[in-house]
Amino acid sequence: MSREGLSRRRFIAVAGATGGAAVASQWPFARARTAPPRFVGYPFTLGVASGDPTPDGVVLWTRLAPAPLSPDGGMPAKPYPVQWEVAKDEAFTNVVARGEEIAVPGEAHSVHAEPAGLEPGYEYFYRFKANGEISPTGRTKTAPATAASVAGLAFAFASCQQYEHGYYTAYKHMANEDLDLVIHLGDYIYEYDTNSYQVSGNTNVRGNSNHEIVDLGHYRERHAQYKSDPDLQAAHAAFPWLVTWDDHEVDNNWADDIPEDGLPLEHFARRRRNAFRAYWEHMPLRKATRPVGKDMQLFRRAAYGNLASFHVLDTRQFRSDQACGDGTRAGCDDRNNPARTLTGAQQEQWLYNGLETSPAKWQVIAQQVFMAQRDATNGPGESYSMDGWDGYTVSRDKLLDFIETREIDNPIVITGDVHQNWANDLLADFSNPQSKILGSEFVGTSISTTGDGNDNVNTATMAENPWIKYNNQRRGYVRVQLDQNVCRTDYRTLQYVKRPGSPITTHKSFVVEAGNPGLKDA
Amino acid sequence: MKFAIALAAAAIAVVFAIRADAVEEAPDAALQLVEIEQQTPYLESYNSTIAVGNTTQSIIRRQGNSGGVVFSSQAYAQFENHNADGSRATFPVEVEEGALYGISIQFVKAPTHGIVQVAVDGRPLGQPVDLYAPALQRAEPVNVGTLALAEGKHTFTFTVTAKNEAATNYFAGIDLVILDTQAAVQPTPTAVATAEVGGEVPPTLSLTLDGTVGFDAFQPGVAREYTASTDAKVTSTAGDAMLSIADTGANPGHLVNGAYSLQQPLHARAGNSGDFFPLRAAPLRLYAYSAPVSGHSVPLQFRQAIGGNEPLRTGRYAKTLTFTLTTTNP
């Protein structure tokens, strides 16, 4: 699946009609109407990105940051124009869209351009210009037409990239895959000060600014530091991304208005607002998702013709506080309290509506925390993580019941958070391992969090929870290939991340057959 | 050096003039010395707990004077990297004043040292530098390049890319980073020539204007848009280049005739289609190159609108316009 050049990528096979106006031009950036004020330095130190593809557009992102690690990015407190253009070729001889955005200090001089009128299922190249400098070229791809019959698509999903714990070699390899889309399931940054979150043996290999991030400037600096990584930049520049957050974008295990620790609620509300703003500023998200106050609309859908619908969840912003004081608990009845919710009622209904009305073959639920039941106590007795769906059993039961009773075909859940690879079948009743399989959950390991990992297999947990079919503790990501018959999943793993340069291998592959739920060895 | 093209109209006459513009004054000199071992290497390979000699991980540590060799501020940063895997040592550096800097690195050479590539904010700067020497020594500063750096925090990354056959390991030593505006290579900013002069151009950027630019005679009492055109020929060996036009004369953007000026601004565009843009004192960026070109011909078109009731004074309405071809990536 490796590629040798951007131009050799395959396109999504699309049988539907295509449209979109081409505006060929040989005058790159000639439409600048004013001579913008200048500032000192190269502005594109954080690279470029694209995201949230639709059949006729995509979000193009960059941020002007000539001094990337400064809270203001080294930019004067003034607005600056940024030109962008989209072409069908890497040399930009066939430009099909261009425009100008004003990057303002209140948004960290970030740019979220939204070209429209592009052709569905098509590969494009984009770049920005500001301060007399031209950005690196990004490559992106629109989604297929809404009614298109789509033969296949490939995507990868990733999560958990603690910078101090290792290098982003996984992204270096991901950038060489042949993908239509990347999905990030959260923990894009970590909020800690240097070395307060250590890998085993206290051997962190990189460092942060030496304070836990709370202020807006802190969050901006941390995002910029992560974005300074060349491998992460390469993966962003190679594919459109769908992103969602988990906890560390704000604070470990936060739940709606509740912080992990004893921070006063009014202060946490400000912290959450700062974190949301910085997250939006640094992600290829649409302008419509810009946070309002301390709220941000992040759950959303991406449709890939008749092949796949991606339902991207936000299981942090609307959840009830973790039951029984969080952690892994035994005998916690409150986790079964019907008044408690993981998604919030509005998002839950939105998900149900989307599952029921989607015309696509595969329903991909992209979310954060472990959905399948996972009893952490070996043998007699039970204990569960209060942070995952096990801590919100009513939310899980309602969702699985909806899938069963409404006959939602081919649900695939993709999950991050736990820094290990797992593969689980989702059962109608986890108290009966023989009950009906409704779908499958693929839990992806971390990009770097907890360091190199090892080849141990948690056989005890698998024995305790027989719907869990696979466990691996190396770093990497998961590659998924969908067609009208099969969902194939490849667990891509690295030998190490505490040094750069690890090779990558496929440790395990599964297939799920359309119309025949359940994991099968590939 | 800048020349200029004069664009004029009245009794049909259009005159090219030559004007030598003063070179912009150099800003005040800025010099910043950065003791790299005093920067917290918080981005890469930082681990204070790893024992020296650990061959699986790389660390950065402060190394004092040794063997009679004295370093700037009595110490340098030693990057103890045992691996041929492209390990990086990154340091945050607070640039005190935004400016165009010549960047020099005072490395430390030793028998254990490899070949190092410098990058600033992720962009490679200069060529790899071989830090091998038969004995420990403080090297003379190496000018690795010129960069415009904004005030604020930047990353300086040192990547060991390879090693000399004689070197016994992949270490690196960095003593001092010198940011000096006076050592900056000023970008070859402009190369402008009139049609008549031609030829007299710097080696890397050249701009030649062909032909005569002339509007029809302006007729009082007739509302009309007048157009005129010429071609610019551009040769550039730069990575990118921008062709701009500016009117820095009195009443910028308007053709003048003594104390009289036309009511509507002169407009210009590059190419035979697209919008015209009004001229003004600030440069109007007409055409961007993202790659070198040789003898590329760019049509330059001008448009002047005159109203039916607009009073016109006998004589010549004219303006000297300055075309510049600039690059930030010579």
Side-chain angles (χ1 to χ4, degrees), chain A residues 26-27 33-35 40-42 66-70 127 129 132 163 167 202-207 225 499, chain B residues 42-47 49 56-57 83 88 121 123 148-150 152-155 242 271 280 283 287-288:
Chain A
Q26 57 179 325
W27 306 107
R33 293 172 189 280
T34 59
V40 175
Y42 177 74
L69 299 183
S70 293
R127 62 185 179 182
K129 185 167 189 187
Y163 194 90
Y167 289 87
N202 294 338
T203 55
N204 282 358
V205 295
R206 308 200 281 188
Q225 180 196 337
R499 290 190 287 128
Chain B
Y42 69 64
L43 288 182
E44 309 278 349
S45 304
Y46 172 57
N47 193 320
T49 64
T56 61
Q57 287 185 269
N83 309 302
R88 311 182 288 256
D121 297 328
R123 293 197 301 164
L149 294 176
K153 201 180 287 183
H154 296 262
T155 61
M242 177 65 74
R280 62 196 171 218
Y287 192 85

Tab-separated table of all heavy atoms in Angstrom, chain A residues 26-27 33-35 40-42 66-70 127 129 132 163 167 202-207 225 499, chain B residues 42-47 49 56-57 83 88 121 123 148-150 152-155 242 271 280 283 287-288:
chain	number	residue	atom	x	y	z
A	26	GLN	N	-3.177	30.928	-14.960
A	26	GLN	CA	-1.729	30.898	-14.828
A	26	GLN	C	-1.256	32.051	-13.966
A	26	GLN	O	-0.095	32.422	-13.997
A	26	GLN	CB	-1.077	30.994	-16.207
A	26	GLN	CG	-1.491	32.232	-16.975
A	26	GLN	CD	-0.819	32.304	-18.315
A	26	GLN	OE1	0.317	31.892	-18.458
A	26	GLN	NE2	-1.540	32.808	-19.296
A	27	TRP	N	-2.137	32.617	-13.194
A	27	TRP	CA	-1.767	33.806	-12.421
A	27	TRP	C	-1.885	33.527	-10.936
A	27	TRP	O	-2.800	33.975	-10.281
A	27	TRP	CB	-2.669	34.981	-12.804
A	27	TRP	CG	-2.676	35.224	-14.266
A	27	TRP	CD1	-3.682	34.950	-15.145
A	27	TRP	CD2	-1.613	35.754	-15.041
A	27	TRP	NE1	-3.306	35.284	-16.393
A	27	TRP	CE2	-2.042	35.794	-16.375
A	27	TRP	CE3	-0.331	36.226	-14.739
A	27	TRP	CZ2	-1.244	36.253	-17.406
A	27	TRP	CZ3	0.458	36.675	-15.764
A	27	TRP	CH2	0.002	36.698	-17.072
A	33	ARG	N	-5.494	42.139	-3.534
A	33	ARG	CA	-5.979	43.469	-3.834
A	33	ARG	C	-5.177	44.545	-3.121
A	33	ARG	O	-5.242	45.706	-3.468
A	33	ARG	CB	-7.445	43.581	-3.440
A	33	ARG	CG	-8.322	42.709	-4.290
A	33	ARG	CD	-9.747	42.665	-3.796
A	33	ARG	NE	-10.487	41.652	-4.533
A	33	ARG	CZ	-10.985	41.841	-5.746
A	33	ARG	NH1	-10.821	43.001	-6.343
A	33	ARG	NH2	-11.632	40.882	-6.362
A	34	THR	N	-4.521	44.177	-2.104
A	34	THR	CA	-3.771	45.195	-1.380
A	34	THR	C	-2.375	44.678	-1.116
A	34	THR	O	-2.118	43.486	-1.150
A	34	THR	CB	-4.433	45.481	-0.019
A	34	THR	OG1	-4.472	44.260	0.728
A	34	THR	CG2	-5.835	46.013	-0.197
A	35	ALA	N	-1.497	45.597	-0.867
A	35	ALA	CA	-0.161	45.204	-0.445
A	35	ALA	C	-0.224	45.033	1.062
A	35	ALA	O	-0.367	46.009	1.790
A	35	ALA	CB	0.849	46.266	-0.815
A	40	VAL	N	8.052	40.040	10.266
A	40	VAL	CA	9.352	39.409	10.123
A	40	VAL	C	9.214	37.897	10.212
A	40	VAL	O	8.597	37.384	11.150
A	40	VAL	CB	10.323	39.912	11.214
A	40	VAL	CG1	11.643	39.167	11.138
A	40	VAL	CG2	10.541	41.411	11.049
A	41	GLY	N	9.781	37.186	9.254
A	41	GLY	CA	9.937	35.755	9.403
A	41	GLY	C	9.048	34.910	8.514
A	41	GLY	O	8.079	35.367	7.918
A	42	TYR	N	9.406	33.637	8.464
A	42	TYR	CA	8.677	32.653	7.672
A	42	TYR	C	7.435	32.221	8.443
A	42	TYR	O	7.532	31.724	9.569
A	42	TYR	CB	9.583	31.459	7.401
A	42	TYR	CG	8.919	30.331	6.655
A	42	TYR	CD1	8.651	30.442	5.302
A	42	TYR	CD2	8.584	29.153	7.307
A	42	TYR	CE1	8.045	29.406	4.607
A	42	TYR	CE2	7.990	28.106	6.621
A	42	TYR	CZ	7.726	28.239	5.281
A	42	TYR	OH	7.122	27.209	4.591
A	66	PRO	N	5.565	32.858	12.781
A	66	PRO	CA	7.001	32.971	12.493
A	66	PRO	C	7.893	32.697	13.703
A	66	PRO	O	9.070	32.389	13.523
A	66	PRO	CB	7.143	34.414	11.999
A	66	PRO	CG	5.968	35.137	12.539
A	66	PRO	CD	4.856	34.135	12.599
A	67	ALA	N	7.357	32.805	14.895
A	67	ALA	CA	8.078	32.347	16.097
A	67	ALA	C	7.164	31.326	16.758
A	67	ALA	O	6.380	31.643	17.641
A	67	ALA	CB	8.389	33.506	17.031
A	68	PRO	N	7.233	30.077	16.324
A	68	PRO	CA	6.138	29.134	16.590
A	68	PRO	C	5.873	28.854	18.054
A	68	PRO	O	4.749	28.517	18.413
A	68	PRO	CB	6.593	27.862	15.851
A	68	PRO	CG	8.065	28.020	15.651
A	68	PRO	CD	8.307	29.482	15.528
A	69	LEU	N	6.875	28.956	18.902
A	69	LEU	CA	6.673	28.574	20.288
A	69	LEU	C	6.282	29.745	21.183
A	69	LEU	O	6.121	29.576	22.384
A	69	LEU	CB	7.927	27.890	20.836
A	69	LEU	CG	8.298	26.606	20.092
A	69	LEU	CD1	9.501	25.948	20.740
A	69	LEU	CD2	7.137	25.650	20.051
A	70	SER	N	6.149	30.921	20.616
A	70	SER	CA	5.655	32.048	21.397
A	70	SER	C	4.131	31.995	21.428
A	70	SER	O	3.505	31.561	20.463
A	70	SER	CB	6.111	33.369	20.771
A	70	SER	OG	7.508	33.489	20.880
A	127	ARG	N	-2.093	25.341	-1.301
A	127	ARG	CA	-1.003	26.062	-0.647
A	127	ARG	C	-1.501	27.440	-0.259
A	127	ARG	O	-2.542	27.905	-0.728
A	127	ARG	CB	0.213	26.166	-1.569
A	127	ARG	CG	-0.055	26.936	-2.859
A	127	ARG	CD	1.148	26.912	-3.789
A	127	ARG	NE	0.875	27.630	-5.027
A	127	ARG	CZ	1.744	27.731	-6.038
A	127	ARG	NH1	2.928	27.146	-5.954
A	127	ARG	NH2	1.424	28.409	-7.121
A	129	LYS	N	-0.270	31.618	0.801
A	129	LYS	CA	0.762	32.625	0.660
A	129	LYS	C	0.499	33.757	1.635
A	129	LYS	O	-0.633	34.235	1.760
A	129	LYS	CB	0.809	33.169	-0.759
A	129	LYS	CG	1.965	34.143	-0.946
A	129	LYS	CD	2.222	34.458	-2.390
A	129	LYS	CE	3.522	35.243	-2.489
A	129	LYS	NZ	3.769	35.723	-3.833
A	132	GLY	N	4.796	37.308	1.592
A	132	GLY	CA	5.723	37.042	0.500
A	132	GLY	C	6.260	35.627	0.487
A	132	GLY	O	7.124	35.293	-0.315
A	163	TYR	N	3.926	13.818	23.511
A	163	TYR	CA	5.164	14.238	22.835
A	163	TYR	C	6.410	13.768	23.572
A	163	TYR	O	7.399	13.364	22.962
A	163	TYR	CB	5.149	15.766	22.751
A	163	TYR	CG	6.148	16.369	21.809
A	163	TYR	CD1	5.824	16.593	20.483
A	163	TYR	CD2	7.428	16.726	22.243
A	163	TYR	CE1	6.723	17.159	19.611
A	163	TYR	CE2	8.333	17.291	21.380
A	163	TYR	CZ	7.984	17.505	20.064
A	163	TYR	OH	8.889	18.058	19.211
A	167	TYR	N	8.820	9.487	19.564
A	167	TYR	CA	8.815	10.138	18.257
A	167	TYR	C	7.563	9.721	17.473
A	167	TYR	O	6.989	8.660	17.725
A	167	TYR	CB	10.082	9.766	17.475
A	167	TYR	CG	11.307	10.411	18.061
A	167	TYR	CD1	12.021	9.793	19.090
A	167	TYR	CD2	11.745	11.649	17.623
A	167	TYR	CE1	13.135	10.389	19.653
A	167	TYR	CE2	12.858	12.251	18.176
A	167	TYR	CZ	13.556	11.625	19.187
A	167	TYR	OH	14.642	12.218	19.746
A	202	ASN	N	10.940	6.130	33.962
A	202	ASN	CA	11.241	7.562	33.946
A	202	ASN	C	12.193	7.931	32.818
A	202	ASN	O	13.233	8.548	33.019
A	202	ASN	CB	11.826	8.026	35.285
A	202	ASN	CG	10.802	7.919	36.401
A	202	ASN	OD1	9.602	7.905	36.131
A	202	ASN	ND2	11.267	7.821	37.626
A	203	THR	N	11.848	7.488	31.630
A	203	THR	CA	12.746	7.724	30.504
A	203	THR	C	12.045	8.459	29.370
A	203	THR	O	12.086	8.042	28.224
A	203	THR	CB	13.316	6.389	29.978
A	203	THR	OG1	12.222	5.509	29.671
A	203	THR	CG2	14.224	5.743	30.985
A	204	ASN	N	11.382	9.557	29.704
A	204	ASN	CA	10.846	10.395	28.643
A	204	ASN	C	11.977	10.823	27.704
A	204	ASN	O	13.105	11.063	28.143
A	204	ASN	CB	10.179	11.646	29.214
A	204	ASN	CG	8.802	11.350	29.771
A	204	ASN	OD1	8.337	10.217	29.697
A	204	ASN	ND2	8.154	12.365	30.307
A	205	VAL	N	11.651	10.931	26.437
A	205	VAL	CA	12.693	11.262	25.469
A	205	VAL	C	12.557	12.671	24.896
A	205	VAL	O	13.441	13.143	24.206
A	205	VAL	CB	12.739	10.247	24.310
A	205	VAL	CG1	13.145	8.886	24.838
A	205	VAL	CG2	11.407	10.167	23.571
A	206	ARG	N	11.436	13.310	25.143
A	206	ARG	CA	11.292	14.687	24.713
A	206	ARG	C	10.631	15.472	25.846
A	206	ARG	O	10.236	14.902	26.861
A	206	ARG	CB	10.449	14.793	23.426
A	206	ARG	CG	10.944	13.881	22.320
A	206	ARG	CD	10.480	14.290	20.942
A	206	ARG	NE	9.115	13.912	20.632
A	206	ARG	CZ	8.571	14.050	19.417
A	206	ARG	NH1	9.274	14.563	18.428
A	206	ARG	NH2	7.330	13.683	19.181
A	207	GLY	N	10.530	16.754	25.689
A	207	GLY	CA	9.990	17.546	26.789
A	207	GLY	C	9.000	18.588	26.336
A	207	GLY	O	8.875	18.896	25.156
A	225	GLN	N	3.903	23.440	19.574
A	225	GLN	CA	5.039	22.545	19.777
A	225	GLN	C	4.764	21.186	19.136
A	225	GLN	O	5.608	20.633	18.434
A	225	GLN	CB	5.310	22.363	21.260
A	225	GLN	CG	6.496	21.444	21.519
A	225	GLN	CD	6.550	20.955	22.939
A	225	GLN	OE1	6.007	21.580	23.838
A	225	GLN	NE2	7.207	19.840	23.140
A	499	ARG	N	13.270	6.088	20.043
A	499	ARG	CA	14.246	6.545	19.054
A	499	ARG	C	13.490	6.713	17.745
A	499	ARG	O	12.500	6.024	17.514
A	499	ARG	CB	15.351	5.508	18.839
A	499	ARG	CG	16.290	5.329	19.983
A	499	ARG	CD	17.473	4.472	19.571
A	499	ARG	NE	17.136	3.055	19.421
A	499	ARG	CZ	17.411	2.329	18.335
A	499	ARG	NH1	17.987	2.884	17.282
A	499	ARG	NH2	17.099	1.041	18.289
B	42	TYR	N	14.077	21.365	25.623
B	42	TYR	CA	12.852	20.708	26.038
B	42	TYR	C	12.101	20.037	24.908
B	42	TYR	O	11.012	19.541	25.118
B	42	TYR	CB	11.952	21.640	26.815
B	42	TYR	CG	11.293	22.778	26.105
B	42	TYR	CD1	10.368	22.563	25.096
B	42	TYR	CD2	11.562	24.078	26.485
B	42	TYR	CE1	9.745	23.612	24.479
B	42	TYR	CE2	10.942	25.133	25.865
B	42	TYR	CZ	10.036	24.895	24.860
B	42	TYR	OH	9.414	25.930	24.252
B	43	LEU	N	12.666	20.003	23.747
B	43	LEU	CA	11.898	19.404	22.670
B	43	LEU	C	12.314	17.994	22.288
B	43	LEU	O	11.490	17.186	21.936
B	43	LEU	CB	11.947	20.293	21.434
B	43	LEU	CG	11.126	21.561	21.589
B	43	LEU	CD1	11.176	22.369	20.331
B	43	LEU	CD2	9.701	21.220	21.917
B	44	GLU	N	13.559	17.721	22.292
B	44	GLU	CA	13.980	16.415	21.793
B	44	GLU	C	15.034	15.796	22.722
B	44	GLU	O	15.895	16.481	23.230
B	44	GLU	CB	14.640	16.552	20.402
B	44	GLU	CG	13.830	17.327	19.413
B	44	GLU	CD	12.759	16.493	18.740
B	44	GLU	OE1	12.799	15.268	18.893
B	44	GLU	OE2	11.904	17.095	18.083
B	45	SER	N	14.939	14.525	22.853
B	45	SER	CA	16.038	13.757	23.400
B	45	SER	C	16.519	14.268	24.756
B	45	SER	O	17.676	14.158	25.100
B	45	SER	CB	17.223	13.779	22.428
B	45	SER	OG	16.807	13.319	21.189
B	46	TYR	N	15.606	14.850	25.493
B	46	TYR	CA	16.011	15.390	26.778
B	46	TYR	C	15.699	14.383	27.853
B	46	TYR	O	14.555	14.011	28.051
B	46	TYR	CB	15.287	16.699	27.067
B	46	TYR	CG	15.503	17.209	28.456
B	46	TYR	CD1	16.788	17.439	28.919
B	46	TYR	CD2	14.439	17.437	29.302
B	46	TYR	CE1	16.997	17.911	30.197
B	46	TYR	CE2	14.638	17.905	30.581
B	46	TYR	CZ	15.919	18.142	31.025
B	46	TYR	OH	16.120	18.599	32.293
B	47	ASN	N	16.691	13.933	28.539
B	47	ASN	CA	16.433	13.038	29.645
B	47	ASN	C	17.595	13.103	30.609
B	47	ASN	O	18.669	12.582	30.347
B	47	ASN	CB	16.236	11.609	29.154
B	47	ASN	CG	15.662	10.761	30.268
B	47	ASN	OD1	16.062	10.916	31.421
B	47	ASN	ND2	14.723	9.905	29.945
B	49	THR	N	17.944	11.666	33.302
B	49	THR	CA	18.179	10.494	34.138
B	49	THR	C	18.927	9.372	33.424
B	49	THR	O	19.280	8.375	34.033
B	49	THR	CB	16.841	9.912	34.634
B	49	THR	OG1	16.098	9.454	33.499
B	49	THR	CG2	16.032	10.954	35.367
B	56	THR	N	21.169	3.074	23.743
B	56	THR	CA	19.877	2.972	23.060
B	56	THR	C	19.152	4.296	22.987
B	56	THR	O	18.222	4.444	22.224
B	56	THR	CB	18.963	1.967	23.770
B	56	THR	OG1	18.737	2.420	25.106
B	56	THR	CG2	19.586	0.601	23.768
B	57	GLN	N	19.550	5.247	23.812
B	57	GLN	CA	18.877	6.526	23.761
B	57	GLN	C	19.903	7.645	23.693
B	57	GLN	O	21.061	7.492	24.057
B	57	GLN	CB	18.000	6.731	24.992
B	57	GLN	CG	16.765	5.880	24.943
B	57	GLN	CD	15.856	6.197	26.098
B	57	GLN	OE1	15.939	5.588	27.139
B	57	GLN	NE2	15.011	7.172	25.905
B	83	ASN	N	23.425	6.711	17.685
B	83	ASN	CA	22.660	6.003	16.670
B	83	ASN	C	22.692	6.718	15.324
B	83	ASN	O	22.591	7.932	15.250
B	83	ASN	CB	21.206	5.885	17.126
B	83	ASN	CG	21.099	5.314	18.526
B	83	ASN	OD1	21.577	4.214	18.777
B	83	ASN	ND2	20.542	6.078	19.438
B	88	ARG	N	17.601	13.864	16.747
B	88	ARG	CA	17.612	15.311	16.707
B	88	ARG	C	17.799	15.867	18.117
B	88	ARG	O	17.290	15.316	19.084
B	88	ARG	CB	16.279	15.855	16.177
B	88	ARG	CG	15.781	15.224	14.901
B	88	ARG	CD	14.492	15.859	14.430
B	88	ARG	NE	13.337	15.529	15.237
B	88	ARG	CZ	12.406	14.650	14.865
B	88	ARG	NH1	12.508	14.018	13.720
B	88	ARG	NH2	11.367	14.410	15.628
B	121	ASP	N	13.179	26.246	13.130
B	121	ASP	CA	11.725	26.070	13.020
B	121	ASP	C	11.385	25.006	11.984
B	121	ASP	O	10.444	25.145	11.200
B	121	ASP	CB	11.043	27.397	12.674
B	121	ASP	CG	11.237	28.429	13.768
B	121	ASP	OD1	11.322	28.033	14.935
B	121	ASP	OD2	11.309	29.631	13.436
B	123	ARG	N	12.984	24.088	9.330
B	123	ARG	CA	13.476	24.234	7.960
B	123	ARG	C	14.995	24.128	7.941
B	123	ARG	O	15.689	24.883	8.628
B	123	ARG	CB	13.052	25.578	7.368
B	123	ARG	CG	11.550	25.668	7.168
B	123	ARG	CD	11.194	26.782	6.222
B	123	ARG	NE	11.652	28.074	6.688
B	123	ARG	CZ	11.739	29.155	5.917
B	123	ARG	NH1	11.440	29.080	4.641
B	123	ARG	NH2	12.133	30.306	6.422
B	148	ALA	N	15.051	35.482	8.173
B	148	ALA	CA	14.267	36.481	8.893
B	148	ALA	C	13.612	35.786	10.072
B	148	ALA	O	12.886	34.816	9.897
B	148	ALA	CB	13.214	37.081	7.978
B	149	LEU	N	13.899	36.260	11.276
B	149	LEU	CA	13.350	35.636	12.481
B	149	LEU	C	12.498	36.649	13.219
B	149	LEU	O	12.946	37.757	13.520
B	149	LEU	CB	14.476	35.144	13.396
B	149	LEU	CG	15.333	34.006	12.847
B	149	LEU	CD1	16.477	33.695	13.818
B	149	LEU	CD2	14.493	32.766	12.617
B	150	ALA	N	11.274	36.260	13.519
B	150	ALA	CA	10.390	37.118	14.309
B	150	ALA	C	10.838	37.113	15.754
B	150	ALA	O	11.411	36.132	16.246
B	150	ALA	CB	8.956	36.618	14.199
B	152	GLY	N	10.560	36.352	19.424
B	152	GLY	CA	9.827	35.274	20.082
B	152	GLY	C	10.614	33.984	20.065
B	152	GLY	O	11.800	33.947	19.735
B	153	LYS	N	9.910	32.929	20.422
B	153	LYS	CA	10.577	31.655	20.663
B	153	LYS	C	10.611	30.792	19.400
B	153	LYS	O	9.585	30.518	18.790
B	153	LYS	CB	9.859	30.912	21.783
B	153	LYS	CG	10.716	29.854	22.454
B	153	LYS	CD	9.947	29.148	23.554
B	153	LYS	CE	9.749	30.018	24.771
B	153	LYS	NZ	9.063	29.276	25.864
B	154	HIS	N	11.823	30.382	19.046
B	154	HIS	CA	12.047	29.546	17.865
B	154	HIS	C	12.719	28.239	18.278
B	154	HIS	O	13.262	28.133	19.362
B	154	HIS	CB	12.959	30.276	16.867
B	154	HIS	CG	12.358	31.531	16.319
B	154	HIS	ND1	11.736	31.592	15.098
B	154	HIS	CD2	12.274	32.779	16.844
B	154	HIS	CE1	11.299	32.823	14.883
B	154	HIS	NE2	11.610	33.565	15.931
B	155	THR	N	12.700	27.288	17.346
B	155	THR	CA	13.413	26.043	17.607
B	155	THR	C	14.656	25.958	16.725
B	155	THR	O	14.595	26.229	15.527
B	155	THR	CB	12.541	24.814	17.331
B	155	THR	OG1	12.166	24.807	15.951
B	155	THR	CG2	11.301	24.831	18.187
B	242	MET	N	8.366	38.017	-6.905
B	242	MET	CA	7.120	38.772	-6.977
B	242	MET	C	7.347	40.025	-7.792
B	242	MET	O	8.270	40.796	-7.515
B	242	MET	CB	6.658	39.147	-5.564
B	242	MET	CG	5.408	40.002	-5.525
B	242	MET	SD	3.947	39.147	-6.145
B	242	MET	CE	3.642	38.039	-4.763
B	271	GLY	N	-1.324	40.271	-17.214
B	271	GLY	CA	-2.105	39.319	-17.987
B	271	GLY	C	-3.191	40.012	-18.778
B	271	GLY	O	-3.475	41.195	-18.599
B	280	ARG	N	-1.153	52.698	-6.259
B	280	ARG	CA	-1.020	53.476	-5.021
B	280	ARG	C	0.445	53.495	-4.654
B	280	ARG	O	1.298	52.932	-5.377
B	280	ARG	CB	-1.843	52.817	-3.931
B	280	ARG	CG	-1.303	51.470	-3.700
B	280	ARG	CD	-2.183	50.567	-2.956
B	280	ARG	NE	-1.485	49.286	-3.079
B	280	ARG	CZ	-2.034	48.133	-3.234
B	280	ARG	NH1	-3.323	48.042	-3.271
B	280	ARG	NH2	-1.327	47.055	-3.344
B	283	PRO	N	3.443	48.981	-2.867
B	283	PRO	CA	3.556	48.091	-4.023
B	283	PRO	C	2.276	47.290	-4.247
B	283	PRO	O	1.687	46.764	-3.309
B	283	PRO	CB	4.718	47.163	-3.644
B	283	PRO	CG	5.491	47.912	-2.623
B	283	PRO	CD	4.487	48.738	-1.867
B	287	TYR	N	2.238	39.797	-9.922
B	287	TYR	CA	2.489	38.460	-10.445
B	287	TYR	C	3.494	37.745	-9.554
B	287	TYR	O	4.544	38.297	-9.236
B	287	TYR	CB	3.036	38.547	-11.880
B	287	TYR	CG	3.045	37.205	-12.568
B	287	TYR	CD1	1.923	36.732	-13.216
B	287	TYR	CD2	4.181	36.412	-12.544
B	287	TYR	CE1	1.922	35.498	-13.834
B	287	TYR	CE2	4.191	35.170	-13.156
B	287	TYR	CZ	3.058	34.722	-13.807
B	287	TYR	OH	3.055	33.498	-14.408
B	288	ALA	N	3.150	36.520	-9.169
B	288	ALA	CA	4.022	35.749	-8.290
B	288	ALA	C	4.613	34.565	-9.038
B	288	ALA	O	3.904	33.880	-9.780
B	288	ALA	CB	3.244	35.259	-7.084
